[in-house]
Amino acid sequence: MDVDLGKLFFCGFNDFNEEVKEIIRKYRPAGILIYPGVLSKEYLLMDFMSFLSKEGDFLISSDHEGGQLEVLKYVPSSPGNLAFGKNSPDVTYRYSKIAGKIMEIVGFNMVFAPVLDLLSEESSSVIDMRSYGSDPKIVAEHGAKACEGYLEGGVMPCIKHFPGHGRAREDSHLTLPVVDAPFEKLWEEDLLPFRKVLEREKKVTVMTAHVRYSSIDSLPATLSEKIITDVLRKKIGFDGLVISDAMEMSAVSNNFSVEEIVSLFLNAGGNMILLGDYRNLPVYYETLVKLLEDGRVQKDKVERSIRMVEKYLAFAKKNSGVGFLADSSAKAVEFLGFEKIDHTSEVTLLVPSSENLSQADTTGGDYDQIPEIVSRFFEVENVVRYTVEDGPEFVEGDLIFDFVADIPNEKALKAHLSLPAEKTVYFVLRNPFDVRYFEGRKIVVTRSTKPISIYKSLEHFLGRCDS
């Protein structure tokens, strides 16, 4: 069963690198939550999606809710749930369907939305515009229409934060909030949106709140069997996937050990442990193995959770999303004069400026990203920008990367050829016919200025490309 234990984890990734690949291959987390550190670098998102499509089946999610929490630039910005709550639920449906379609095209099959928390005068600012409002019936209707839209768009929604974060005065990222409302009031108000949505939609997931509800239990909802099993499973009748909020949040991590978190959550009836930082997965995974060996986590509940995750993996749509763009970029790269290169030397970069581009050319900004991309693979000693008309100035260095945009005249060509041949690699970005000028030298033909093409060419350098 150890082989399948990774399915009980949903991990957040703010970068994509060799360490990420190793963690995923070794521990096989079933849930992948992609954060802005990847989303803001399109080439990383493309490569991550390509990698995941080759590695197996995953639940691939983002935190994009619209309004207060927007992380995916491809989805049009919305005024947010609070504004939608003043509109017809059809507006929420239309936005969620559009967002879901775009997410599915990109490669996501899940989204950590919608928020079903009620807004109150006591609400922490962590809720604010993420709520559809204060009226439980309105929140329920909008929440249901959001789920309908997401599902039609192609992604599975995750309703949150059960049984409701709205009454909490504090932010559970920072401390453990306590809600003292009697259960009857919670049932009729805070829980009503969850109840109504779960009556209508079956292919949804539920995220728990790191909030203590004193009228129900002394434990926060995420770790409470009374809340997850007795209220959610039995009283409401939900038999689907339950995911925790991120366990590193102070509400939980400052008050409970890793052993307590893992044992309490899984024994309470939860299914997937969300870790905001994938680097915490080895500790949580090994803790789970030990707890199972010691009998402190019920084996039957773990096996049931694994089956539950597999059920949702079967629901989830599977495609490479934008990953095919990474693959096609890699296939277009051509190496002339060498196969690999010593990556221990510091690199001097010669990067073209974006002057004199055609009106039918929007690639100028691509050049600005070259130093950051190269720095993911090499130590960058110096960055020199040059004009295409003049060519680069002569530079010294153990290793020189000359990014060639075009060769417009003899002056520019002479400048490029004046660089030391034994230390220079020429990246021909645009016109592959320019390779004739550098015959006998080390050349990389990318056929593109795009960051993903430069990224994949550098990955090939180090012999790490999958294709």
Side-chain angles (χ1 to χ4, degrees), residues 289-305:
V289 171
K290 185 175 184 297
L291 291 171
L292 274 169
E293 292 173 349
D294 295 344
R296 286 183 284 167
V297 169
Q298 299 171 38
K299 184 178 178 181
D300 63 323
K301 288 194 174 181
V302 167
E303 291 174 342
R304 191 178 304 123
S305 288

Side-chain angles (χ1 to χ4, degrees), residues 74-291:
Y74 308 104
V75 179
S77 182
S78 88
N81 294 345
L82 193 58
F84 282 163
K86 284 295 186 180
N87 286 263
S88 162
D90 286 338
V91 172
T92 296
Y93 163 77
R94 290 173 64 187
Y95 171 77
S96 300
K97 186 173 180 178
I98 290 171
K101 281 185 175 180
I102 294 171
M103 291 175 192
E104 194 271 337
I105 289 169
V106 172
F108 294 93
N109 53 31
M110 189 174 179
V111 60
F112 283 173
V115 171
L116 300 188
D117 303 324
L118 303 182
L119 183 65
S120 74
E121 293 181 8
E122 301 173 344
S123 292
S124 163
S125 59
V126 74
I127 299 302
D128 274 0
M129 298 180 298
R130 299 168 74 191
S131 171
Y132 290 106
S134 304
D135 187 325
K137 294 180 180 178
I138 289 177
V139 174
E141 189 60 30
H142 281 269
K145 296 301 284 187
C147 289
E148 182 182 344
Y150 284 129
L151 287 165
E152 289 187 17
V155 295
M156 291 186 297
C158 179
I159 58 177
K160 59 187 186 182
H161 306 83
F162 186 87
H165 200 301
R167 291 186 192 274
R169 292 187 177 91
E170 297 86 15
D171 182 348
S172 54
H173 291 87
L174 308 175
T175 189
L176 176 57
V178 178
V179 169
D180 292 321
F183 179 74
E184 292 75 17
K185 192 172 187 65
L186 293 171
W187 181 258
E188 293 300 328
E189 297 180 11
D190 304 65
L191 281 163
L192 188 140
F194 294 95
R195 291 160 45 204
K196 294 299 183 183
V197 169
L198 293 175
E199 284 176 6
R200 292 172 56 169
E201 299 292 351
K202 302 306 177 186
K203 290 184 180 180
V204 301
T205 64
V206 174
M207 177 178 286
T208 58
H210 293 337
V211 177
R212 183 162 71 86
Y213 302 85
S214 60
S215 65
I216 305 175
D217 200 351
S218 60
L219 292 168
T222 296
L223 308 179
S224 171
E225 185 173 9
K226 292 180 181 178
I227 291 176
I228 296 177
T229 293
D230 294 349
V231 177
L232 179 59
R233 299 286 194 201
K234 295 180 179 178
K235 193 170 179 65
I236 294 178
F238 179 65
D239 63 353
L241 187 65
V242 175
I243 305 169
S244 75
D245 208 340
M247 293 298 197
E248 297 96 337
M249 292 165 62
S250 295
V252 171
S253 63
N254 285 358
N255 296 288
F256 300 90
S257 68
V258 173
E259 288 190 353
E260 290 172 325
I261 291 170
V262 173
S263 60
L264 286 169
F265 175 73
L266 293 174
N267 288 334
N271 304 124
M272 295 188 78
I273 294 170
L274 173 60
L275 300 174
D277 188 340
Y278 70 91
R279 290 169 293 189
N280 292 323
L281 177 56
V283 171
Y284 273 79
Y285 186 98
E286 297 304 329
T287 297
L288 174 55
V289 171
K290 185 175 184 297
L291 291 171

